[in-house]
Amino acid sequence: MMGHSHAVSGAMVYAACVPFLPPLLLHTHLKPADILLGTVLCAGAALLPDLDHHDGTIANFLGPFSKLLCRFVAWISGGHRHATHSLLFVALMGAGTWAGVTYLGRPFTLGLTFFLLALAVKALRIHVPGEGHTTWLSVIGLSVLGTAAMDKWMPSAPGWLPYAVALGTLAHLLGDSLTKMGAPWLWPHKQRYEIVLIKRSGNDMETKVLVPIMTVATFALLWFTALEPTVLG
């Protein structure tokens, strides 16, 4: 799947799971602000597995810095669609985020928020068009502004952030399992799991059917869980 599709799928999965998983896993019902913030950050987290792809959609989201990061992740993980496309990676991202929020506090939370926002801004193409320095500087600028805005609404230690990161990463695996390459869910076991619905990345099934459906579903779910006047009241 393309980066844009992954981001939209992460947002949809988060919005769809809000009524069920937070009460079960976090023993709490999320507030409307937490739902909206989590949906955006989950969209960004849905790009994390593709940090192993130095030529992917997000490779240049922070310019040369992210290019180097992606090359390093590709080297340490064994290449594209290996270690980062597994349940082990999902667990590491969730546990690492929990440890950072718990022990490193607000600086870690805001740093991660900026990073995930930058991924989301790049994948959803909410930036100056192109691939040059103007583009990635606009991604950075928008992410800084977004992080500053979120800082005013986000709890001091958001317990839902590790959940959002893990869920977004898992959504990526689900998306890639709809393609011919599949995903090695049980890495280091090399078998890839797939149910081929998207025969070629960026084809009409993905861009003209799945993405519009997921986009509409996300906004509909957010309306009933976070935006409807009776909820806000």
Side-chain angles (χ1 to χ4, degrees):
M1 292 182 78
M2 299 176 67
H4 179 82
S5 307
H6 281 304
V8 175
S9 72
M12 183 193 70
V13 169
Y14 187 92
C17 292
V18 158
F20 313 106
L21 288 186
L24 179 65
L25 300 178
L26 307 178
H27 307 293
T28 186
H29 291 275
L30 297 183
K31 299 177 181 178
D34 296 334
I35 295 172
L36 295 174
L37 298 181
T39 299
V40 174
L41 296 184
C42 193
L47 277 297
L48 288 174
D50 273 351
L51 288 175
D52 67 357
H53 191 358
H54 69 274
D55 287 325
T57 302
I58 62 166
N60 297 301
F61 73 106
L62 294 179
F65 308 104
S66 56
K67 192 77 169 180
L68 287 173
L69 173 62
C70 289
R71 288 188 179 276
F72 174 74
V73 173
W75 172 74
I76 200 172
S77 66
H80 184 46
R81 290 206 192 188
H82 288 281
T84 64
H85 287 66
S86 67
L87 290 175
L88 175 61
F89 185 75
V90 174
L92 287 175
M93 290 299 97
T97 302
W98 175 85
V101 170
T102 303
Y103 297 110
L104 300 179
R106 199 64 172 177
F108 172 87
T109 298
L110 293 180
L112 181 61
T113 296
F114 166 80
F115 191 80
L116 296 179
L117 272 178
L119 287 171
V121 167
K122 176 62 177 177
L124 296 174
R125 308 183 190 109
I126 313 171
H127 55 71
V128 174
E131 296 295 338
H133 68 277
T134 303
T135 298
W136 62 265
L137 286 174
S138 72
V139 171
I140 292 174
L142 289 170
S143 301
V144 168
L145 292 175
T147 301
M150 285 191 170
D151 184 33
K152 298 182 180 298
W153 294 95
M154 190 179 291
S156 57
W160 51 262
L161 185 55
Y163 159 77
V165 169
L167 193 63
T169 311
L170 181 62
H172 186 108
L173 269 61
L174 291 168
D176 276 353
S177 293
L178 299 178
T179 68
K180 293 178 69 174
M181 287 182 62
W185 286 64
L186 301 180
W187 186 93
H189 182 57
K190 295 183 179 180
Q191 180 177 349
R192 292 171 180 258
Y193 299 89
E194 61 188 45
I195 300 176
V196 180
L197 184 61
I198 301 171
K199 294 183 179 180
R200 180 176 56 83
S201 181
N203 66 5
D204 287 347
M205 172 58 72
E206 179 182 346
T207 60
K208 296 182 180 180
V209 178
L210 292 181
V211 169
I213 289 175
M214 291 189 295
T215 301
V216 171
T218 300
F219 282 107
L221 290 163
L222 287 177
W223 173 259
F224 290 111
T225 58
L227 298 174
E228 188 180 14
T230 56
V231 174
L232 295 175

